[in-house]
Amino acid sequence: YQRRVHGAFSTSESYKMGKFIKPGKVVILTSGRFAGKKAIVVKTFDEGTKEREFPHALVAGIERYPQAVTKTMSKKKIVKRSKVKPFLKYVNYNHIMPTRYAVNDIDLKTAVNPNTMKKSDTRVDAKKEIKKNFESRYLERGKNTPGVQFFFQKLRF
């Protein structure tokens, strides 16, 4: 397929887009059960795989966001309201919207990889690990970067 640009023909190969969906990027899912939920990209598969022959990403996100907390609340209440419910999912690139934020200080690579996604029991363990990571990071609000703050807030629209 050739395309005419400024009087000359060029192939579509010269129009490769830069890779911007990288691990650590905060994305918003646009369709399915988790539509409107935020997630962090754990691993990308730009060329697809044997099982999924389309460009996709493994994402870890928040299904149920933490509730609002104030200074006057007790420690116990803050811990209770800071609970999150995570999810793990393979998502087609067509169904995710990248944001300008990236989160690098939540380490998901150790908890989640494509091998843990294959069996349901390892997937459950990975989910528990992610839940721990998310909750501990949410409670350490002192060193918040804008990306982390954005990630833990429910999308208002």
Side-chain angles (χ1 to χ4, degrees):
Y1 153 79
Q2 293 207 325
R3 192 171 177 179
R4 198 178 163 111
V5 181
H6 300 298
F9 282 99
S10 71
T11 60
S12 62
E13 285 305 305
S14 63
Y15 291 107
K16 279 277 185 208
M17 263 181 58
K19 216 177 107 175
F20 55 89
I21 298 179
K22 295 187 179 103
K25 186 71 136 170
V26 177
V27 295
I28 298 171
L29 305 189
T30 56
S31 65
R33 181 170 144 202
F34 301 113
K37 304 291 184 198
K38 293 174 191 166
I40 298 173
V41 175
V42 178
K43 188 168 170 46
T44 57
F45 302 90
D46 291 326
E47 304 303 315
T49 58
K50 216 170 237 162
E51 297 97 40
R52 296 175 180 80
E53 294 176 351
F54 49 85
H56 61 282
L58 172 59
V59 298
I62 299 180
E63 187 176 342
R64 191 168 52 236
Y65 291 89
Q67 293 176 302
V69 294
T70 60
K71 280 186 202 168
T72 56
M73 290 180 187
S74 66
K75 283 251 194 292
K76 189 175 160 189
K77 191 168 189 175
I78 288 174
V79 169
K80 192 168 172 60
R81 290 176 73 93
S82 297
K83 297 264 184 260
V84 296
K85 184 178 181 185
F87 67 85
L88 284 171
K89 195 168 173 53
Y90 284 108
V91 188
N92 189 327
Y93 279 177
N94 295 341
H95 306 305
I96 57 180
M97 187 171 83
T99 63
R100 64 183 179 179
Y101 299 106
V103 175
N104 301 322
D105 51 357
I106 299 178
D107 185 34
L108 301 172
K109 277 227 184 309
T110 54
V112 187
N113 58 34
N115 296 334
T116 59
M117 294 293 286
K118 283 191 171 73
K119 293 221 296 284
S120 64
D121 55 338
T122 55
R123 189 185 269 218
V124 168
D125 293 341
K127 238 173 156 174
K128 285 177 185 167
E129 191 69 34
I130 285 176
K131 182 180 169 75
K132 258 188 259 170
N133 283 357
F134 282 170
E135 284 175 4
S136 67
R137 184 60 189 89
Y138 182 71
L139 286 169
E140 299 169 7
R141 280 197 279 303
K143 53 179 193 216
N144 260 1
T145 57
V148 173
Q149 223 162 358
F150 172 77
F151 176 65
F152 283 114
Q153 280 173 351
K154 193 174 180 180
L155 190 67
R156 309 295 295 174
F157 63 94

